[in-house]
Amino acid sequence: MKNINILIVEDELLIAKNLEIKLKKLKYNVINIVSSGASALVSIKKQRPDLILMDIAIKGKIDGIETAKIIKARYNLAIIFLTAYADDKTLERACSIGGYGYILKPYKDRELHATIKLALKQHQEQVVAQKSLAEISELLGQYSAEKTHIYEDSLTKLPNKLMLQELYSYLLADIQKGNQNSDSQAQSGLSKKLLSFTYIKIDRFERILASLGEAKSDLLIKALAQRLRENTNSQTHQTVLIKLDYCEFCILQSGLEQRQAASDCAQKIIQQLNQPISIENKNYFLTASLGISFYPFDHHQAERLLEQGKEAMLYAQQQGGNRFQLYTSAFRIVASRNHSDLDLEADLHQALEQQQLELYYQPKIDLITGKFHSAEALIRWNHPQLGLILPDKILPLAEASGLMDQIGDWVLQSAFMQTKQWHLAGFSFLTIAVNLSGHQFKQSDLFHKLTQLLSKLDLDAKYIELELTEQILVENTKANIQKLNLIKKLGVKISLDDFGTGYSSLRYLHQFPFDILKIDRSFIKDVNYNQKNGVIIKSVIEMAHQLNLRVVGEGVETQTELDFLVSNKCDEFQGYFFARPLPVADFTKLLVSDRCYLSSLVQLWEAK
């Protein structure tokens, strides 16, 4: 049996010597006795013990609990506390740093022996489950106490970006050693081990922090880091979490047999981040975009692998976030701008023909019932090389290439057909909103196209909303009012989109036959810290209700924004706080669930 080396940290020499005698009788090896936290750190650096017996009440600048906290962070050693004080507050502090129990003075030999055996067993289990944490902490411990803070994030105590290269070299050496050993066994089918870089960025985190004070922001960051720690442990490969920037992290994983292991870890993180983080009795909902690159497939240098992970993360973010993306060489096309707008225009001509266009649907939540009965259809382009392309890129390209009418017609037809399919499937309450471009609205046969579609599909027009912006309507106002009145005779609803971004919205409200007014995101996002925006939103809602218009708040992303809309009796909202635009299959799942997503809003509304 291996000799167990024990360090005693006790400032009462008589008690320490008595303890040493007991330990030697139990066949343990006491490597040193020290009387302060600083001395303990020096001793550990010289000779690493298997176990530390730490008196809580040691004298000096830091007590035993604070000393243990430092030791756990740097070395991940097994620690048992010694104390003559068993009050709840002291024991709670001791337990919070992850020790392996405590012994009340005076202690018996049998109690001492049993506690040590249990602590060593628990620590060994943790080492197996978190192998990388212990080894990486040892690596960090090689730096002097005066320099450790340079390589450590001060808030989360995680290794920082300065430490990334050192950690990569450490893990890479282990990988390369294992790969050399496996070369001789190649005929057995064993594959070489991989090392992954997973780049993590919290979606829209800056906006969330902008609504918090400095103290709450720090608490949220620390809670986030802890959530990531909990979900990056592995029993099969080494893992280390690194803090890159305020809302950016990186996970290094080594010893992977397949890429799927990194993908599984990324998916686990996404799922766990979807669970709220509670700070001072208030829940915060976070999502993340993750990008993954691999040694040796993508590159051999840490700096380039990190860049590749970031490129993949940005790509995931462009697709709406809350997802992960493996790095591919296709991202180089985007990064180097080799795929020009002219190339994209040419590709867009084929997109319709090759069925690369798709509609996503974003729910609009009723702020009285807490359910959704309507959604907005939004176009997406599944480009074969560049992945998902969003409307802000598609629509300018469509205009430049003369495809606006064709794509607009496709959107109308696809949205109407999908609405009918959902109605036939039993969701006959569902209303779908479709955006009309300026090109579409100017079409002389728009009324005829709408009539044909509704008749062909036998679709009740009251389940269709047509969204237009003020910019479309301000030219030739009189003719546009007549055209909208004609379209309204079909029974469809007319919605004014992006209200407040133009200069004449108030003047037109009573002239045009609108049913719905949508408050632009630019007002919603500043409501937390812009009092003027709050006053404007409140006034718009009151005015719209006097004109018998329903009001929709666009782009709601935080609880504070939602609370403001509820308190001011907005009718509906849409935004990432509830759901991103979803493909048909995922949106259908929401319909099937048929539940009240925001049931508490009913009570909140009534309270207001």
Side-chain angles (χ1 to χ4, degrees):
M1 176 180 173
K2 173 183 175 293
N3 286 335
I4 304 299
N5 294 322
I6 296 179
L7 171 66
I8 298 174
V9 186
E10 169 65 71
D11 60 2
E12 295 188 31
L13 185 59
L14 186 59
I15 293 176
K17 286 295 185 181
N18 184 48
L19 178 57
E20 181 182 24
I21 293 170
K22 289 178 180 287
L23 290 170
K24 287 182 177 179
K25 286 182 180 179
L26 296 170
K27 308 299 183 184
Y28 293 113
N29 181 35
V30 176
I31 60 172
N32 202 359
I33 297 175
V34 296
S35 60
S36 69
S39 299
L41 294 172
V42 172
S43 180
I44 292 168
K45 187 177 178 182
K46 290 180 179 178
Q47 187 175 6
R48 197 67 44 79
D50 299 301
L51 175 74
I52 301 170
L53 296 178
M54 176 76 68
D55 181 30
I56 289 179
I58 53 174
K59 297 178 178 64
K61 292 184 178 180
I62 54 175
D63 66 5
I65 295 176
E66 288 301 313
T67 302
K69 187 176 182 180
I70 296 170
I71 293 170
K72 289 286 289 183
R74 293 183 186 175
Y75 307 104
N76 194 26
L77 297 175
I79 300 172
I80 297 174
F81 289 109
L82 310 175
T83 180
Y85 307 99
D87 61 282
D88 291 341
K89 187 174 181 180
T90 299
L91 297 183
E92 184 178 342
R93 282 185 63 216
C95 292
S96 68
I97 64 97
Y100 293 97
Y102 59 90
I103 306 175
L104 294 177
K105 302 176 184 179
Y107 27 75
K108 298 179 181 179
D109 291 3
R110 181 180 298 178
E111 179 187 0
L112 179 64
H113 188 41
T115 304
I116 290 174
K117 287 178 64 177
L118 179 61
L120 291 172
K121 180 177 182 295
Q122 290 176 335
H123 182 64
Q124 183 58 36
E125 290 173 351
Q126 185 197 60
V127 168
V128 172
Q130 300 177 324
K131 182 180 177 184
S132 64
L133 293 181
E135 294 180 346
I136 299 304
S137 294
E138 184 175 342
L139 179 65
L140 291 171
Q142 293 173 6
Y143 293 84
S144 67
E146 292 76 17
K147 293 183 179 179
T148 296
H149 69 279
I150 299 175
Y151 303 95
E152 180 182 86
D153 177 66
S154 59
L155 182 61
T156 64
K157 307 306 179 185
L158 291 171
N160 62 22
K161 192 173 181 179
L162 292 175
M163 195 64 188
L164 186 142
Q165 178 61 59
E166 191 74 24
L167 293 167
Y168 173 70
S169 300
Y170 174 81
L171 294 173
L172 184 59
D174 191 46
I175 286 285
Q176 290 174 336
K177 181 179 178 181
N179 287 344
Q180 289 171 2
N181 293 336
S182 67
D183 284 342
S184 61
Q185 305 175 36
Q187 294 181 350
S188 66
L190 293 175
S191 62
K192 289 193 174 185
K193 304 280 186 173
L194 310 176
L195 192 155
S196 69
F197 277 63
T198 300
Y199 199 111
I200 305 171
K201 183 171 184 178
I202 306 304
D203 299 329
R204 305 173 311 283
F205 201 56
E206 294 87 351
R207 293 201 55 257
I208 297 173
L209 295 181
S211 66
L212 305 174
E214 182 178 349
K216 285 187 179 180
S217 296
D218 288 348
L219 289 174
L220 186 57
I221 292 286
K222 291 169 72 174
L224 170 62
Q226 182 58 32
R227 178 74 61 88
L228 291 173
R229 279 193 193 99
E230 293 168 356
N231 289 281
T232 53
N233 296 335
S234 173
Q235 297 183 11
T236 57
H237 47 261
Q238 292 179 308
T239 304
V240 59
L241 177 65
I242 299 167
K243 183 78 156 33
L244 298 175
D245 204 347
Y246 204 53
C247 62
E248 297 179 5
F249 299 81
C250 179
I251 300 171
L252 298 184
Q253 291 179 287
S254 67
L256 307 180
E257 295 284 354
Q258 297 178 335
R259 299 188 191 198
Q260 187 61 43
S263 297
D264 290 344
C265 177
Q267 188 59 46
K268 181 181 177 184
I269 288 171
I270 290 170
Q271 291 171 351
Q272 291 301 315
L273 284 180
N274 284 335
Q275 301 300 316
I277 293 178
S278 181
I279 304 294
E280 295 184 355
N281 297 319
K282 186 169 184 179
N283 288 336
Y284 295 88
F285 294 85
L286 305 178
T287 62
S289 298
L290 291 78
I292 309 173
S293 60
F294 293 92
Y295 164 90
F297 294 117
D298 297 319
H299 214 275
H300 288 71
Q301 295 180 358
E303 183 177 355
R304 182 56 189 143
L305 284 164
L306 185 65
E307 289 176 2
Q308 290 170 333
K310 185 174 184 178
E311 289 173 26
M313 178 277 294
L314 291 172
Y315 191 77
Q317 207 169 50
Q318 290 169 5
Q319 296 180 67
N322 197 33
R323 66 187 68 200
F324 71 89
Q325 173 69 51
L326 302 186
Y327 175 81
T328 73
S329 58
F331 297 133
R332 296 183 203 139
I333 299 174
V334 181
S336 62
R337 299 184 181 273
N338 290 337
H339 213 97
S340 67
D341 283 353
L342 287 176
D343 295 323
L344 283 174
E345 286 179 28
D347 292 346
L348 190 56
H349 278 275
Q350 301 178 26
L352 275 169
E353 187 179 307
Q354 297 179 1
Q355 298 182 338
Q356 294 173 5
L357 299 182
E358 180 182 4
L359 288 183
Y360 277 42
Y361 296 85
Q362 185 173 39
K364 293 190 285 183
I365 310 303
D366 189 302
L367 288 175
I368 295 180
T369 65
K371 293 188 175 185
F372 71 87
H373 296 94
S374 61
E376 180 179 359
L378 297 160
I379 192 171
R380 298 290 188 267
W381 177 10
N382 294 300
H383 193 284
Q385 282 82 45
L386 304 181
L388 208 63
I389 299 178
L390 301 181
D392 59 351
K393 185 69 174 177
I394 299 172
L395 300 182
L397 286 170
E399 288 196 22
S401 57
L403 292 173
M404 203 66 197
D405 289 346
Q406 286 177 258
I407 290 176
D409 290 347
W410 176 86
V411 169
L412 276 178
Q413 182 174 342
S414 299
F416 281 38
M417 289 177 63
Q418 185 58 59
T419 305
K420 184 61 178 180
Q421 289 177 22
W422 276 322
H423 285 191
L424 292 173
F427 309 112
S428 57
F429 58 83
L430 187 63
T431 296
I432 296 299
V434 184
N435 291 278
L436 286 184
S437 69
H439 280 272
Q440 280 179 289
F441 188 68
K442 291 175 183 178
Q443 290 174 344
S444 59
D445 60 346
L446 175 62
F447 177 81
H448 177 67
K449 286 180 179 179
L450 293 171
T451 303
Q452 272 196 324
L453 273 174
L454 292 169
S455 176
K456 180 181 177 180
L457 296 170
D458 190 24
L459 178 62
D460 192 332
K462 70 180 181 181
Y463 295 110
I464 295 296
E465 294 176 14
L466 298 179
E467 295 191 5
L468 300 99
T469 63
E470 178 190 340
Q471 184 180 1
I472 296 172
L473 300 173
V474 291
E475 297 178 9
N476 200 358
T477 305
K478 187 175 180 179
N480 288 340
I481 292 173
Q482 292 176 346
K483 193 168 190 175
L484 282 181
N485 280 322
L486 181 62
I487 291 174
K488 277 215 53 167
K489 289 182 179 180
L490 293 173
V492 301
K493 298 181 180 68
I494 306 297
S495 175
L496 178 60
D497 197 12
D498 300 336
F499 180 81
T501 57
Y503 298 98
S504 307
S505 298
L506 291 174
R507 183 158 60 98
Y508 292 129
L509 269 183
H510 70 283
Q511 298 182 41
F512 284 93
F514 298 127
D515 300 284
I516 299 160
L517 184 152
K518 302 185 75 175
I519 300 175
D520 187 69
R521 167 71 195 146
S522 61
F523 290 95
I524 304 290
K525 71 176 182 179
D526 293 331
V527 75
N528 301 340
Y529 45 89
N530 188 323
Q531 188 177 4
K532 291 182 179 179
N533 276 5
V535 172
I536 291 172
I537 293 172
K538 184 177 180 180
S539 299
V540 166
I541 293 173
E542 291 175 351
M543 176 185 61
H545 284 166
Q546 290 175 6
L547 295 172
N548 295 318
L549 303 179
R550 286 182 64 80
V551 183
V552 179
E554 292 187 281
V556 176
E557 296 185 358
T558 69
Q559 182 70 52
T560 304
E561 294 167 357
L562 178 59
D563 290 345
F564 184 87
L565 293 179
V566 171
S567 65
N568 286 285
K569 293 183 166 47
C570 186
D571 299 293
E572 294 177 278
F573 86 92
Q574 67 185 93
Y576 285 4
F577 181 77
F578 176 73
R580 290 167 172 71
L582 301 169
V584 169
D586 291 341
F587 187 86
T588 303
K589 289 178 183 177
L590 284 183
L591 289 171
V592 171
S593 64
D594 187 31
R595 56 190 173 89
C596 185
Y597 297 93
L598 300 168
S599 57
S600 61
L601 291 176
V602 179
Q603 289 78 18
L604 184 55
W605 180 288
E606 292 172 349
K608 298 296 181 182

